Amino acid sequence: MTLLELEGVTASYGPVQVLGGVSLSVPDGGAVGILGANGAGKTTTLRAISGTVRTGGRIVYDGRDIRGMRPDRVAALGIAHVPEGRGTLGALTVHENLRVGAYLRKDRKGIATDIDYCLALFPQLQNRIRSNGSALSGGEQQMLAIARAFMSRPRLLLLDEASLGLAPGTAKSVYEAIRRLRKESGIAMLVVEQNANLAFSLVDSATVLETGRTVLTGSSAELKGMDEIRRAYLGG
Ligand SMILES: Nc1ncnc2c1ncn2[C@@H]1O[C@H](COP(=O)(O)OP(=O)(O)OP(=O)(O)O)[C@@H](O)[C@H]1O
Ligand SMILES: [Mg+2]
């Protein structure tokens, strides 16, 4: 079953249109990557879904058109966005950030269980549980941003550049945790990632954007076998 479908999606910042026609689909429980050069519109595509940029075209989630819906309503439908730059709350502790992620939930026991799960998934956060978000390393902030998104118990996770600015080893362990989360929770994922090797370690398929348009979609295996993809994204 298709969970999310974008068809001819356009988006503008003020008078400037930056997406001219993005089409992609995410199966329920699937993981799909978005590849593209700097400025191609990857981040804007995620913003179009989460309702934080003005959009046209069709965005259908779980059978309903969510295009133009307010960000809080989109979130309430089960779409969690881990934005570029992480967006953790620096003045709140790790524990408070996790609780904020669960703000729409009423199941206190479930929330406590899920906080424990996050700390098992990211053991580094366990030692930092009373630290402010602003005192965390870049890698720890990324882990917290993902954990906080998980705390809303989404059906779809939008993940923007989770490896950006991290040391290679840290980026790898963040992706290992995301793979585990995917396997154990079945959350569908739409993943923007500059590091295509990391992206392909997680996603089943990917779509390539060029100047705001979808130019190519294929399975991870198909894309990895294409010369132009290898040259542009896989360093050879
Ligand atoms: N808030 C904004 N206001 C105006 N223009 C913007 C804004 N954010 C992005 N843009 C422009 O929209 C286009 C697409 O940007 P976007 O951030 O979606 O690209 P991206 O593929 O995520 O790039 P990167 O790999 O650098 O993160 C770019 O030309 C960018 O300059
Ligand atoms: Mg971006």
Coordinates of all heavy atoms in Angstrom, one line a residue, residues 120-170:
A120 N 17.9 3.1 24.7 CA 18.6 1.9 24.2 C 19.1 2.0 22.8 O 20.2 1.5 22.5 CB 17.6 0.7 24.4
L121 N 18.4 2.7 22.0 CA 18.7 2.9 20.6 C 20.0 3.8 20.5 O 20.9 3.6 19.7 CB 17.6 3.5 19.9 CG 17.6 3.6 18.3 CD1 17.6 2.2 17.8 CD2 16.3 4.3 17.8
F122 N 20.0 4.8 21.4 CA 21.1 5.8 21.4 C 21.7 5.8 22.8 O 21.4 6.8 23.6 CB 20.6 7.2 21.0 CG 20.0 7.3 19.6 CD1 18.7 7.5 19.4 CD2 20.9 7.1 18.5 CE1 18.2 7.7 18.1 CE2 20.4 7.2 17.2 CZ 19.0 7.5 17.0
P123 N 22.5 4.9 23.2 CA 23.0 4.8 24.5 C 23.8 6.1 25.0 O 23.8 6.4 26.2 CB 24.0 3.6 24.5 CG 23.6 2.8 23.3 CD 23.0 3.8 22.3
Q124 N 24.3 6.8 24.0 CA 25.0 8.0 24.4 C 24.1 9.0 25.0 O 24.6 9.8 25.8 CB 25.6 8.7 23.1 CG 27.0 8.3 22.8 CD 27.5 8.8 21.5 OE1 27.2 8.2 20.4 NE2 28.1 10.0 21.5
L125 N 22.8 9.0 24.7 CA 21.9 9.9 25.3 C 21.6 9.6 26.7 O 21.2 10.5 27.5 CB 20.6 10.0 24.5 CG 20.7 10.5 23.0 CD1 19.3 10.5 22.4 CD2 21.3 11.9 23.0
Q126 N 21.7 8.4 27.1 CA 21.5 7.9 28.5 C 22.3 8.8 29.5 O 21.8 9.3 30.5 CB 21.8 6.5 28.6 CG 21.7 5.9 30.0 CD 20.2 5.6 30.3 OE1 19.6 4.7 29.7 NE2 19.7 6.3 31.3
N127 N 23.6 8.9 29.1 CA 24.5 9.7 30.0 C 24.2 11.2 30.0 O 24.8 11.9 30.9 CB 26.0 9.5 29.6 CG 26.3 8.0 29.4 OD1 25.8 7.2 30.1 ND2 27.1 7.7 28.3
R128 N 23.5 11.6 29.0 CA 23.3 13.1 28.9 C 21.8 13.4 29.2 O 21.4 14.5 28.9 CB 23.6 13.4 27.4 CG 24.9 12.9 26.9 CD 26.1 13.6 27.5 NE 26.5 14.7 26.7 CZ 27.0 15.9 27.2 NH1 27.1 16.0 28.5 NH2 27.3 16.8 26.4
I129 N 21.1 12.6 29.9 CA 19.7 12.7 30.0 C 19.3 14.0 30.7 O 18.2 14.6 30.4 CB 19.1 11.5 30.7 CG1 17.5 11.5 30.6 CG2 19.5 11.3 32.1 CD1 17.0 10.9 29.3
R130 N 20.1 14.5 31.6 CA 19.8 15.8 32.3 C 20.5 17.0 31.7 O 20.5 18.1 32.2 CB 20.1 15.7 33.8 CG 19.4 14.6 34.5 CD 17.9 14.9 34.7 NE 17.2 13.6 35.0 CZ 15.9 13.4 34.7 NH1 15.2 14.4 34.2 NH2 15.4 12.3 34.9
S131 N 21.3 16.8 30.6 CA 22.0 17.9 29.9 C 21.1 18.6 29.0 O 20.1 18.1 28.4 CB 23.2 17.3 29.1 OG 24.0 16.6 29.8
N132 N 21.4 19.9 28.9 CA 20.6 20.7 27.9 C 21.0 20.3 26.5 O 22.1 20.0 26.2 CB 20.9 22.2 28.1 CG 20.1 22.8 29.3 OD1 19.3 22.1 29.9 ND2 20.3 24.1 29.5
G133 N 20.0 20.4 25.6 CA 20.2 20.1 24.2 C 21.4 20.9 23.7 O 22.2 20.4 22.9
S134 N 21.6 22.2 24.1 CA 22.7 23.0 23.6 C 24.1 22.5 24.0 O 25.1 22.9 23.4 CB 22.5 24.4 24.0 OG 22.4 24.5 25.5
A135 N 24.1 21.6 25.1 CA 25.4 21.1 25.5 C 25.8 19.9 24.8 O 26.9 19.3 25.1 CB 25.3 20.9 27.1
L136 N 25.0 19.4 23.9 CA 25.3 18.1 23.3 C 26.2 18.3 22.1 O 26.2 19.4 21.5 CB 24.0 17.4 22.8 CG 22.9 17.1 23.8 CD1 21.8 16.4 23.1 CD2 23.5 16.3 25.0
S137 N 27.0 17.3 21.7 CA 27.8 17.3 20.5 C 26.8 17.2 19.3 O 25.6 16.9 19.5 CB 28.7 16.1 20.4 OG 27.9 14.9 20.2
G138 N 27.3 17.5 18.1 CA 26.5 17.5 16.9 C 25.9 16.1 16.7 O 24.7 16.0 16.4
G139 N 26.6 15.1 16.9 CA 26.1 13.7 16.8 C 25.0 13.4 17.8 O 24.0 12.8 17.5
E140 N 25.2 13.8 19.0 CA 24.2 13.6 20.1 C 23.0 14.4 19.8 O 21.8 13.9 20.0 CB 24.8 14.0 21.4 CG 25.9 13.0 22.0 CD 26.7 13.6 23.1 OE1 26.6 14.8 23.4 OE2 27.4 12.8 23.7
Q141 N 23.1 15.6 19.2 CA 21.9 16.4 18.9 C 21.1 15.7 17.7 O 19.9 15.7 17.8 CB 22.4 17.8 18.4 CG 22.7 18.7 19.6 CD 23.0 20.1 19.1 OE1 22.6 20.6 18.1 NE2 23.8 20.8 20.0
Q142 N 21.9 15.1 16.8 CA 21.2 14.4 15.7 C 20.4 13.2 16.3 O 19.3 13.0 15.9 CB 22.2 14.0 14.7 CG 21.5 13.3 13.4 CD 20.7 14.3 12.7 OE1 21.1 15.4 12.2 NE2 19.4 14.1 12.6
M143 N 21.1 12.5 17.2 CA 20.4 11.3 17.8 C 19.1 11.8 18.5 O 18.1 11.2 18.5 CB 21.3 10.6 18.8 CG 22.5 10.0 18.1 SD 23.8 9.5 19.3 CE 25.2 9.2 18.2
L144 N 19.3 12.9 19.3 CA 18.1 13.4 20.0 C 17.0 13.9 19.1 O 15.8 13.6 19.4 CB 18.6 14.6 20.9 CG 17.5 15.3 21.7 CD1 16.8 14.3 22.6 CD2 18.1 16.4 22.6
A145 N 17.4 14.5 18.0 CA 16.3 14.9 17.0 C 15.5 13.7 16.5 O 14.3 13.8 16.4 CB 17.0 15.7 15.9
I146 N 16.2 12.7 16.2 CA 15.6 11.5 15.7 C 14.7 10.8 16.8 O 13.6 10.4 16.5 CB 16.6 10.5 15.1 CG1 17.3 11.0 13.9 CG2 16.0 9.1 14.8 CD1 18.6 10.3 13.5
A147 N 15.3 10.7 18.0 CA 14.6 10.1 19.1 C 13.3 11.0 19.4 O 12.2 10.4 19.7 CB 15.5 10.0 20.3
R148 N 13.5 12.3 19.4 CA 12.3 13.1 19.7 C 11.2 12.9 18.6 O 10.0 12.8 19.0 CB 12.7 14.6 19.7 CG 11.6 15.5 20.3 CD 12.0 16.9 20.3 NE 12.1 17.4 19.0 CZ 12.3 18.7 18.7 NH1 12.4 19.6 19.7 NH2 12.3 19.2 17.5
A149 N 11.6 12.8 17.4 CA 10.6 12.5 16.3 C 9.9 11.2 16.6 O 8.7 11.1 16.4 CB 11.3 12.6 14.9
F150 N 10.7 10.2 16.9 CA 10.1 8.9 17.2 C 9.1 8.9 18.4 O 8.1 8.2 18.4 CB 11.2 7.8 17.6 CG 10.7 6.6 18.1 CD1 10.1 5.6 17.3 CD2 10.7 6.3 19.5 CE1 9.5 4.4 17.8 CE2 10.2 5.1 20.0 CZ 9.6 4.2 19.2
M151 N 9.3 9.8 19.3 CA 8.4 9.9 20.5 C 7.0 10.3 20.1 O 6.1 10.1 20.9 CB 9.0 10.9 21.5 CG 10.2 10.4 22.3 SD 10.0 8.8 23.1 CE 8.7 9.2 24.3
S152 N 6.8 10.9 18.9 CA 5.5 11.2 18.5 C 4.8 9.9 17.9 O 3.6 10.0 17.5 CB 5.5 12.3 17.5 OG 6.0 11.9 16.3
R153 N 5.5 8.8 17.8 CA 5.0 7.6 17.3 C 4.5 7.8 15.9 O 3.3 7.5 15.6 CB 4.0 6.9 18.2 CG 4.6 6.1 19.3 CD 5.4 5.0 18.7 NE 6.0 4.1 19.6 CZ 6.1 2.8 19.4 NH1 5.8 2.3 18.2 NH2 6.7 2.0 20.2
P154 N 5.3 8.4 15.0 CA 4.8 8.7 13.6 C 4.7 7.4 12.8 O 5.2 6.3 13.1 CB 6.0 9.5 13.0 CG 7.2 9.0 13.7 CD 6.7 8.6 15.1
R155 N 3.9 7.6 11.7 CA 3.8 6.5 10.7 C 4.8 6.8 9.6 O 5.2 5.9 8.8 CB 2.4 6.4 10.0 CG 1.7 5.2 10.4 CD 0.3 5.3 9.8 NE 0.2 4.4 8.7 CZ -0.9 4.3 7.9 NH1 -1.9 5.2 8.2 NH2 -1.0 3.5 6.9
L156 N 5.2 8.0 9.5 CA 6.2 8.5 8.4 C 7.2 9.4 9.0 O 6.8 10.4 9.7 CB 5.4 9.1 7.3 CG 6.3 9.8 6.2 CD1 7.0 8.7 5.4 CD2 5.4 10.6 5.2
L157 N 8.4 9.2 8.8 CA 9.5 10.0 9.3 C 10.2 10.7 8.1 O 10.6 10.0 7.2 CB 10.5 9.1 10.0 CG 11.6 9.8 10.9 CD1 11.0 10.6 12.0 CD2 12.5 8.7 11.4
L158 N 10.3 12.0 8.1 CA 11.0 12.8 7.1 C 12.3 13.2 7.7 O 12.4 13.8 8.8 CB 10.2 14.1 6.8 CG 8.7 13.9 6.4 CD1 8.1 15.3 6.2 CD2 8.5 13.0 5.2
L159 N 13.4 12.8 7.1 CA 14.7 12.9 7.7 C 15.6 13.7 6.7 O 15.8 13.3 5.6 CB 15.2 11.5 7.8 CG 16.3 11.2 8.8 CD1 15.9 11.6 10.2 CD2 16.6 9.6 8.9
D160 N 16.1 14.8 7.2 CA 16.9 15.7 6.3 C 18.3 15.8 6.7 O 18.7 16.4 7.7 CB 16.3 17.1 6.3 CG 16.7 18.0 5.1 OD1 17.6 17.5 4.4 OD2 16.1 19.0 4.9
E161 N 19.2 15.1 5.9 CA 20.7 15.2 6.1 C 21.1 14.9 7.5 O 21.8 15.7 8.2 CB 21.1 16.7 5.8 CG 20.7 17.2 4.5 CD 21.7 16.9 3.3 OE1 22.6 16.1 3.5 OE2 21.5 17.5 2.3
A162 N 20.8 13.6 7.9 CA 21.1 13.2 9.3 C 22.6 13.1 9.5 O 23.1 13.1 10.6 CB 20.4 11.9 9.6
S163 N 23.4 13.0 8.4 CA 24.8 12.8 8.6 C 25.6 14.2 8.5 O 26.8 14.2 8.7 CB 25.4 11.9 7.5 OG 25.5 12.5 6.3
L164 N 24.9 15.2 8.2 CA 25.6 16.5 7.9 C 26.5 17.0 9.1 O 26.0 17.1 10.2 CB 24.6 17.6 7.5 CG 25.2 18.8 6.9 CD1 25.6 18.5 5.4 CD2 24.1 19.9 6.8
G165 N 27.7 17.2 8.8 CA 28.6 17.8 9.8 C 29.1 16.8 10.8 O 29.8 17.2 11.7
L166 N 28.8 15.5 10.6 CA 29.2 14.5 11.6 C 30.5 13.8 11.1 O 30.7 13.6 9.9 CB 28.2 13.4 11.8 CG 26.8 14.0 12.3 CD1 25.8 12.8 12.6 CD2 26.9 14.9 13.5
A167 N 31.3 13.4 12.1 CA 32.5 12.5 11.7 C 32.0 11.2 11.1 O 30.9 10.8 11.4 CB 33.3 12.2 12.9
P168 N 32.8 10.7 10.1 CA 32.3 9.5 9.4 C 31.8 8.3 10.4 O 30.8 7.7 10.1 CB 33.5 9.0 8.6 CG 34.3 10.3 8.4 CD 34.1 11.1 9.6
G169 N 32.5 8.1 11.4 CA 32.1 7.0 12.4 C 30.8 7.3 13.0 O 30.0 6.4 13.2
T170 N 30.6 8.6 13.4 CA 29.4 9.0 14.1 C 28.2 8.9 13.1 O 27.1 8.4 13.4 CB 29.5 10.5 14.6 OG1 30.7 10.6 15.4 CG2 28.3 10.8 15.4

